């Protein structure tokens, strides 16, 4: 690891100013930053520690919805009683992520900004070509081992999966990122890869995530985060789905539905096509399954990851069916 | 190394061989007081890091180290240009080519091979400087893995072939046939403790703190490398944070650190990074094998034809012998088995828990399940029907083989009789449930060892041996053995292990250590007791002299004549004899073995004996029963229950043994469902070379595991009647789980691991 200087910021303004300097990086829980520094992927000159900033670790559930400070830990949010009941998909997305030790260290702001697990991205010595790390250098993953790579949102430049879980639930429920001077919907916060995979978010140098707000809704209250992976715990998603569902009084007709996918796309992936196919419809299992397939519109496989195209719609369908118990024990 | 203050935990069977004494050094480990090699404090340390190659094959043309040398704190940069002045050391097979040894190779033979090293004042400085090194290569064509189209058929290893009867003809004539190909990927040890060491010179004396499964063997390598007398090397390894076969040999990084320490005249610490641990010592080689089974309509085996291959490196032969278990599992009059090795650009693969037997069992035990399915027969019944009454390969009788008992008692505990043998016959909503079974085996391997017993004036009994404890329980069972012989509580015993200056011992590998070292400790302790008895009955100062007895009893902490009359504690006896210490050293070599024989016995594999070198065929056996739950939509497999029954002869400490069996089974769960080194075919690199991406089971993946012992003492296998316990636990786990997956889903997965994409 390269030598760096360390600055403990006393205020958000100080942190922001320091972080604008070239080579400066913010440090929250450090579970992404240090990990990547050890791989030689990030080499900060200055690390600006924001963990002592006051007032950024609050969690509030009110009439309007949920607000989470950027410095709240993953475990604090996951275990928050009202988050668990009012926003179950959000609590679950966190408790199913990483390990207990990591969740105790890691913050919500840092969580959004975690980087891809693409093995080529993380091994600069052996694989110099990586457009995300070194723009224009090429993509080592293409033609390599791609079991965990994305099938949605990829470009010729990069096929790396966005690995996080929380952001998937946030995208599903129209959360907004609070950057202090501006408020950005999470879905816009994460950029599509296109030509510039090195640009992953709208965040500008020196901008600090202050927090996240999630509007209250019936669908958010009746939600689930379903994460599928080979290992029972402590693994990133092979495919995951955040789903919220509001049904009419008949218990079958969809009045509101939110669907997003994780583990399969280059950014947290809202599946509007699935939502549109089901809204206003009376659910049955076949309908749910066929509508869930729409989530894979435009999906491209790269060999090893072809299974995701089959798996992800099944995860979406199961998540929806779990929320509609009147359809019988289909889940 | 002294193990301080062992505690007694009040178990009624404490201090007796066969008792459930808790781990002797357990509190040192859970409190963090146990010092592992890299934690050993050494003053004035310099820190080394390796620079691994990033190409799979070719030559190092030049190494530009100017920037690295100018980097802060850098003391030394080593490259293939350096004259190491070292000689090749003897390998496990006893070969020692008379050649110079270059731990940093000019010829690159695999991706990740060390081609340079940087030594600096701090590890961070060394890491930073290592990044500045520019290596220019001349690349050569490579073969990435066994699956590489250019890998070819490989080379037949004739000494591994087995053949009797006419297998092909019997197969052709058999009314029921099964033929399939089975594959296992590269798997890795991923011990929690990484490879690494601190090397320190005092003149021409080298001290090495390094985790070791074989203190004497590794010290010998260092001595041979540097042309030193064996005595000049002192390797210290009191605790090992997991070895699983990877820490039985001195490796290139050790040579680099020791060389650098000598060159700099100061101690050097070098620890491999987690990715480097994937190439520092080879993992289990990838294998493939085809098996043909011929049987009668009622399930009597007629023929087994086995053709297997495993990958090896371009510069060494390590056969991961796919036919290791195949010939001895069943009664069969016609068998043919061959194994090939296929050289590819990898580090030479190595020993990983249950080498050979493990992939072999995956093949034969899956094939037997396929045969049972084809016959519509209970796989348990099929195995019992073809039960081997003797070893058909060597023709020798079994010493003990309670595999039948393992199968039937395991089946009973599992509830196997309730199994509906049709696939997909059990479900719970979208979850398919399956039950599978498979058997496993591991040979009894024997080797001599040496031990010293020291009785101190204060009555403490010391057991001293170079044998090591990497968690198997060596400390514990040696303390129990000595405590039993001297009739004292275990807390009166001290055990000193893991040091090449102590009496020699077999390697902690091949499941041979317990049987070997216990024999030596038992012999030395018995001799020490006899000596004490002789002195107590003859020395004028001894109160026991006038009893007229011809022997004495050691029990309840006292020495007496059969518990009658005067009795003394050990310290009282020592005091009456005027002795501060009584020291006895014994080995289990034939009487009169020369010093040279002894040295050879502790430092090479020359005296190691296989399972059929005597009158009998000797092996441990096991039967595993697994229940899996498979999500029908997602293909995810969760093991929900496991019962395993073992014949490992006598258990010296059932608590330690059960823990070893469970450990092996848990590793088997990883092998069955998760573990796979993913090789990039373009450059031969294992890309998931870290513990976030190379998945081993977490607690959540491990269900209740019931283990059962059905063994009886086997005194052919070892002096005290035990057979090996360390490796057999993993053998057969993967096929039991894969067979359960078939029973659940009707899908036969013949390629490990059974990941979700293979089932959806
Ligand atoms: C082995 C392993 C397994 C994991 N498994 C999962 C998983 O299954 N699911 C999952 O979702 N995640 C997983 N993670 C990722 C983990 O959740 C993230 O590492 C963690 O959430 C990052 O938070 P942090 O506070 O530690 O961030 P840091 O490492 O401190 O920061 C990460 C990045 O965000 C920037 N940053 C931090 N805070 C702010 C802020 N307020 N404003 C602007 N920029 C900021 C930093 O500069 C840095 O670039 C795993 C991580 C590891 C190491
Ligand atoms: S997929 Fe993206 S992150 Fe991975 S190597 Fe290609 S460009 Fe880099």
């Amino acid at each position: 690891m390269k030598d760096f200087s360390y600055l403990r910021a006393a205020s958000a303004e100080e942190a922001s100013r320091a972080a604008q300097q070239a080579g400066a990086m913010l440090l929250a829980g450090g579970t992404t930053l240090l990990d990547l520094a050890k791989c030689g992927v990030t080499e900060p000159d200055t690390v600006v520690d924001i963990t002592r900033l006051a007032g950024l670790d609050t969690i509030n559930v009110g009439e309007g919805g949920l607000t989470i400070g950027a410095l709240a830990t993953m475990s604090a949010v996951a275990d928050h009683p009202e988050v668990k009941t009012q926003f179950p998909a959000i609590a679950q997305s966190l408790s199913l992520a990483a390990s207990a030790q990591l969740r105790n260290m890691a913050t919500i702001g840092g969580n959004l900004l975690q980087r891809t697990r693409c093995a080529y991205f993380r091994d600069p010595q052996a694989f110099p070509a990586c457009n995300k790390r070194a723009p224009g250098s090429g993509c080592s993953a293409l033609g390599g081992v791609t079991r965990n790579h994305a099938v949605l949102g990829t470009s010729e430049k990069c096929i790396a999966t966005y690995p996080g879980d929380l952001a998937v639930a946030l995208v599903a429920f129209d959360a907004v990122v609070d950057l202090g001077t501006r408020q950005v919907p999470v879905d816009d916060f994460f950029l599509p890869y296109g030509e510039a995979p090195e640009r992953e978010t709208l965040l500008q140098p020196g901008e600090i995530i202050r927090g996240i707000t999630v509007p209250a809704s019936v669908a958010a209250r009746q939600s689930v985060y379903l994460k599928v992976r080979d290992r029972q715990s402590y693994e990133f998603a092979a495919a995951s789905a955040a789903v919220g569902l509001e049904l009419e009084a008949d218990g079958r007709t969809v009045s509101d539905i939110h669907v997003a996918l994780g583990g399969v796309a280059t950014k947290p992936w809202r599946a509007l096509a699935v939502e549109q196919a089901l809204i206003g419809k009376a659910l049955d299992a076949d309908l749910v399954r066929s509508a869930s397939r729409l989530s894979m519109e435009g999906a491209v496989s790269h060999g090893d990851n072809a299974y995701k195209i089959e798996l992800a719609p099944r995860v979406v369908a199961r998540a929806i069916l779990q929320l509609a118990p009147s359809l019988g024990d289909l889940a | 190394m002294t193990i301080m203050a062992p505690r007694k935990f009040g178990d009624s069977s404490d201090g007796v061989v066969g008792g459930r004494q808790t781990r002797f050094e357990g509190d040192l480990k859970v409190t963090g007081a146990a010092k592992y090699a890299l934690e050993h404090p050494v003053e004035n340390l310099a820190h080394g890091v390796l620079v691994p190659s990033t190409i799979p094959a070719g030559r190092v043309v030049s190494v530009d180290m100017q920037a690295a040398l100018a980097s802060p704190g850098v003391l030394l940069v080593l490259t293939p240009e350096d004259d190491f002045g070292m000689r090749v050391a003897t390998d496990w097979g006893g070969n020692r080519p008379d050649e110079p040894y270059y731990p940093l190779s000019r010829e690159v033979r695999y991706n990740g091979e060390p081609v340079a090293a940087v030594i600096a004042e701090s590890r961070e400085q060394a890491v930073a400087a290592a990044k500045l090194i520019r290596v220019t290569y001349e690349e050569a064509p490579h073969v990435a893995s066994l699956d590489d189209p250019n890998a070819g058929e490989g080379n037949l290893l004739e000494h591994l072939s087995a053949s009797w009867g006419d297998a092909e003809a019997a197969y052709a004539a058999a009314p029921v046939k099964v033929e399939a190909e089975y594959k296992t990927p590269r798997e890795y040890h991923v011990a929690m403790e990484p490879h690494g060491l601190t090397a320190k010179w005092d003149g021409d004396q080298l001290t090495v703190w390094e985790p070791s499964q074989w203190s004497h063997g590794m010290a010998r390598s260092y001595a041979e490398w540097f042309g030193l007398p064996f005595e000049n090397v002192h390797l210290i390894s009191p605790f090992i944070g997991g070895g699983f076969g990877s820490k039985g040999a001195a490796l290139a990084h050790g040579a680099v650190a020791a060389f650098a320490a000598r060159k700099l005249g100061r101690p050097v610490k070098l620890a491999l990074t987690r990715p480097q641990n994937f190439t520092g010592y080879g993992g289990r080689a990838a294998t493939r094998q085809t098996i043909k089974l011929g049987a009668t309509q009622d399930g009597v085996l007629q023929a087994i034809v086995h053709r297997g291959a495993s990958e090896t490196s371009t510069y060494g032969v390590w056969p991961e012998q796919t036919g290791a278990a195949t010939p001895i599992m069943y009664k069969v009059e016609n068998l043919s088995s061959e194994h090939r090795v296929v050289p590819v650009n990898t580090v030479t693969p190595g020993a990983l828990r249950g080498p050979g037997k493990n992939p072999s069992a995956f093949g034969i035990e899956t094939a037997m399940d396929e045969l049972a399915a084809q016959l519509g027969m209970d796989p348990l019944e099929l195995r019992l029907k073809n039960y081997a009454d003797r070893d058909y390969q060597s023709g020798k009788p079994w010493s003990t083989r309670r595999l039948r008992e393992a199968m039937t008692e395991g089946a009973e505990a599992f509830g196997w009789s309730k199994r509906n043998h049709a696939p997909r016959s059990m479900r719970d909503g979208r979850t398919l449930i399956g039950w599978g079974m498979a058997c496993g085996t591991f040979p009894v391997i024997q080797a001599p060892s040496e031990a010293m017993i020291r009785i101190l004036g204060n009555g403490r009994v010391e057991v001293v041996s170079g044998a090591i404890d990497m968690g198997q329980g060596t400390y514990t069972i040696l303390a129990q053995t000595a405590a039993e012989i001297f009739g004292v509580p275990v807390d009166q015993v001290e055990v000193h292990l893991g040091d090449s200056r102590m009496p020699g011992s077999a390697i902690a590998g091949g499941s041979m250590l317990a049987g070997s070292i216990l024999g030596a400790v038992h012999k030395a302790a018995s001799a020490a007791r006899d000596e004490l008895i002789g002195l107590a009955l003859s020395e004028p100062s001894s109160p026991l002299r006038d009893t007229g007895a011809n022997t004495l009893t050691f029990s309840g902490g006292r020495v007496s004549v059969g518990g009658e009359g005067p009795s003394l504690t050990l310290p009282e006896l020592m005091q009456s004899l005027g002795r501060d210490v009584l020291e006895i050293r014994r080995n289990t070599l034939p009487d009169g073995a020369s010093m040279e024989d002894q040295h050879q016995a502790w430092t090479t594999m020359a005296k190691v004996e296989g399972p059929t070198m005597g009158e009998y065929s000797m092996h441990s056996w096991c039967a595993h029963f697994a229940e899996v739950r498979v999500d029908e939509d997602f293909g995810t497999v969760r093991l929900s229950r496991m019962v395993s029954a073992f014949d490992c002869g006598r258990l010296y400490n059932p608590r330690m043994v059960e823990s070893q069996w469970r450990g092996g089974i848990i590793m088997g769960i990883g092998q069955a469902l998760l573990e796979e080194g993913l090789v990039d075919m373009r450059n031969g690199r294992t890309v998931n070379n870290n513990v976030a991406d190379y998945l081993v089971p977490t607690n959540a993946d491990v269900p209740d595991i019931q283990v059962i012992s059905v063994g009886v003492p086997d005194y052919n296998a070892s002096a005290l009647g035990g057979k090996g316990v360390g490796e057999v636990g993993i053998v057969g786990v993967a096929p039991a789980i894969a067979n359960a997956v078939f029973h659940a889903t009707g899908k036969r997965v013949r390629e490990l691991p059974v990941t979700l994409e293979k089932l959806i």
Side-chain angles (χ1 to χ4, degrees), chain A residues 116 118 120-121 129-132 138-141 149 157-160:
Chain A
T116 182
C118 171
Y120 300 98
F121 172 74
C130 170
N131 288 326
K132 194 181 271 302
C139 170
S140 293
H149 285 80
K157 293 269 160 80
C158 180
I159 59 169

Side-chain angles (χ1 to χ4, degrees), chain A residues 176-189:
Chain A
V176 172
V177 186
D178 174 6
L179 299 176
T181 53
R182 53 181 182 144
Q183 313 283 315
V184 183
V186 173
D187 200 16
D188 299 336
F189 180 74

Side-chain angles (χ1 to χ4, degrees), chain A residues 25-35 42 50 56 70-71 74 93 96-99 102 105-115 117 163-166 203 207-210 227 229 234-237, chain B residues 692:
Chain A
M25 294 198 80
L26 297 174
L27 172 73
T31 61
T32 287
L33 189 67
L34 285 153
D35 192 26
T42 53
I50 57 170
L56 285 183
L71 291 177
M74 289 171 73
S93 75
L96 292 170
S99 66
L102 285 160
M105 280 301 288
T107 66
I108 296 303
N111 183 283
L112 293 186
L113 296 175
Q114 64 181 286
R115 310 294 303 275
R117 295 293 309 183
D165 293 299
L166 170 67
L203 207 66
E207 266 190 313
I208 295 180
I209 300 177
R210 306 295 173 97
K227 182 173 179 181
R229 46 191 165 168
Y234 201 9
E235 189 186 0
F236 293 91

Side-chain angles (χ1 to χ4, degrees), chain B residues 27-218:
Chain B
D27 42 353
L28 290 182
K29 287 186 171 165
V30 297
T31 58
K35 275 221 165 29
Y36 290 79
L38 290 166
E39 299 172 325
H40 190 85
V42 176
E43 296 211 335
N44 194 27
L45 264 185
H47 297 263
V49 301
L50 297 180
V51 179
S53 75
T54 52
I55 63 160
R59 293 182 64 247
V60 174
V61 175
S62 64
V63 180
D64 178 355
M65 53 187 181
Q66 290 318 312
L69 280 172
S71 187
V74 171
L75 301 166
L76 179 68
V77 175
L78 296 171
T79 75
E81 290 293 324
D82 285 277
D83 178 11
F84 283 79
M86 297 169 73
R87 307 297 297 175
V88 169
T90 312
D91 68 15
W92 278 4
N95 310 302
R96 186 173 188 207
D98 186 17
E99 288 168 10
Y101 174 49
Y102 289 99
L104 301 173
S105 179
R106 181 173 287 287
E107 301 303 318
V108 176
R109 301 159 304 180
Y110 58 93
N111 199 320
E113 181 159 24
V115 292
V118 179
I119 324 294
E121 294 287 349
S122 75
R123 180 169 169 85
E124 291 72 21
Q125 289 171 331
V127 170
K131 281 208 200 116
L132 303 174
I133 289 195
R134 293 286 162 265
V135 182
T136 308
Y137 299 102
E138 186 180 291
E139 278 202 56
H142 71 276
V143 177
S145 79
L146 196 56
D147 294 327
D148 194 308
N150 297 323
E153 286 304 295
N155 313 317
L156 180 67
L157 296 182
E158 289 196 30
H159 66 284
L160 299 181
S161 297
S163 173
W164 61 86
D166 186 342
E168 288 288 3
Y171 174 74
V176 181
K177 294 186 178 73
V178 158
E179 177 177 0
E181 186 186 46
Y182 305 97
K183 294 177 76 177
T184 64
R186 281 185 199 171
E187 293 150 6
Y188 293 91
H189 305 80
V190 283
M192 281 218 274
E193 176 196 36
H195 281 286
L197 71 155
T198 295
K200 176 172 181 279
W201 292 85
D202 297 286
D204 61 353
Q205 303 277 322
L206 171 64
T207 306
V208 178
W209 290 269
E210 181 173 15
S212 172
Q213 293 179 232
W214 193 21
S215 59
H216 282 65
M218 283 173 58

